[in-house]
Amino acid sequence: MTRGTTNPNRLRRMDRWIASVQGAALRRADDPVAVDLGYGAAPWTAVELLARLRAAAPRARVVGIEIEPARVAAAKPYEREGLTFRHGGFEVPLDPAGTSPTLIRAANVLRQYDEDQVAEVWQRLCGRLAPGGLLVEGTCDEIGRRHVWVALGPEGPRTVTFATRLGSLAAPSDLAERLPKALIHRNVPGEPVHAFLRDFDRAWAAASPYASYGARQRWIRTVRALAADWPVVDGPGRWRQGEVTVAWGALAPGGPAPKA
Ligand SMILES: C[S@@+](CC[C@H](N)C(=O)[O-])C[C@H]1O[C@@H](n2cnc3c(N)ncnc32)[C@H](O)[C@@H]1O
């Protein structure tokens, strides 16, 4: 049995982002199913995902899927309208069979697997998505202050999002220890993600005069500078939340790393 560590409100940053970027697709879907894959020893993250998605897409429903049968049994009493729990894994079993999810969220699940399994798992999960569906796979700390996730469409990886509580941030590279499995072993010289975090820290240092206006203003200034050299795909509305989203292709392992 793998560790099932979870916490109430741990995934709030990820939920908020998902509701924002995938809310419209969930509103449009005939049967807007969101899967919380590997929800852990307690069902809190699935309960919260439902509440946050419903604010954006009132017909959304959430299916929590866990590979450990005891965790499914423990979650069953929390089922309610729009929220069910099932035993399963990367095959993403849904009822009725043939239903395709508009969202699959897998948080702190692939950390327990080997790096060389990631591509296959991604492919499998992407193959389960409805047209217009999104897979969000990433990692965070126990209380959700540092988060990094990859977003993938049916065709494959699209973006990487870094999200943090700004008040407690010493430097953007604090997020390195929360990189998802596909990137965490690639934070070494010569790899794009290493160059990205290096440039992020430099921009943060250069923006230190803005600290007197607050960490938020410093972050916004930092990301604006970073966007001159890296394909940042979101804007100030997201940066204000302590987020930044970058095109996957720029950080993908083995790609060309910009010079120091
Ligand atoms: C560390 S917990 C994360 C819980 C929650 N998602 C969170 O982020 O707080 C990881 C969970 O993933 C489950 N898990 C591991 N592999 C899985 C798979 N292939 N399918 C479904 N669940 C899986 C484990 O049983 C464990 O409960």
Side-chain angles (χ1 to χ4, degrees):
M1 185 179 279
T2 54
R3 284 190 309 138
T5 313
T6 188
N7 269 313
N9 235 3
R10 182 188 200 190
L11 303 182
R12 63 195 177 282
R13 294 175 199 284
M14 194 188 244
D15 289 349
R16 191 167 61 198
W17 186 86
I18 289 170
S20 169
V21 306
Q22 199 60 359
L26 286 159
R27 281 195 298 278
R28 279 194 303 270
D30 289 338
D31 183 8
V33 179
V35 168
D36 193 9
L37 185 68
Y39 55 84
W44 315 136
T45 63
V47 172
E48 292 166 355
L49 182 63
L50 179 66
R52 292 180 181 131
L53 290 184
R54 285 247 162 131
R59 292 182 300 114
R61 61 187 183 96
V62 169
V63 181
I65 295 180
E66 245 296 334
I67 203 159
E68 296 292 349
R71 293 176 186 159
V72 181
K76 281 280 180 190
Y78 295 88
E79 288 192 336
R80 62 183 73 161
E81 187 275 316
L83 180 63
T84 54
F85 297 97
R86 294 189 69 114
H87 178 234
F90 297 137
E91 77 283 11
V92 189
L94 290 176
D95 202 12
T99 301
S100 299
T102 299
L103 172 80
I104 301 174
R105 182 269 289 286
N108 301 297
V109 175
L110 290 196
R111 278 301 278 269
Q112 303 174 351
Y113 288 77
D114 291 333
E115 185 189 2
D116 62 11
Q117 295 176 279
V118 172
E120 190 197 324
V121 173
W122 278 1
Q123 203 176 12
R124 244 183 123 177
L125 295 177
C126 288
R128 286 291 286 116
L129 292 171
L134 198 69
L135 165 64
V136 180
E137 187 272 306
T139 309
C140 67
D141 64 354
E142 283 67 18
I143 55 172
R145 286 182 315 173
R146 312 264 185 264
H147 231 312
V148 188
W149 61 80
V150 181
L152 305 91
E155 78 291 354
R158 291 178 181 167
T159 58
V160 186
T161 298
F162 298 77
T164 185
R165 180 172 175 273
L166 289 168
S168 59
L169 189 75
S173 59
D174 288 357
L175 286 151
E177 62 186 33
R178 302 300 162 182
L179 286 166
K181 194 66 176 196
L183 295 175
I184 192 156
H185 303 299
R186 303 309 185 116
N187 188 22
V188 292
E191 286 284 348
V193 71
H194 185 269
F196 175 77
L197 289 171
R198 175 202 65 205
D199 288 358
F200 210 162
D201 278 355
R202 284 182 185 161
W204 178 253
S208 62
Y210 288 81
S212 54
Y213 300 105
R216 190 187 307 277
Q217 291 307 318
R218 184 177 181 181
W219 178 265
I220 291 170
R221 179 74 193 182
T222 299
V223 175
R224 206 179 284 287
L226 196 64
D229 295 319
W230 293 89
V232 170
V233 299
D234 57 357
R238 302 300 327 168
W239 305 343
R240 291 185 58 74
Q241 313 274 346
E243 293 174 11
V244 60
T245 297
V246 183
W248 164 258
L251 303 192
K259 296 269 181 301

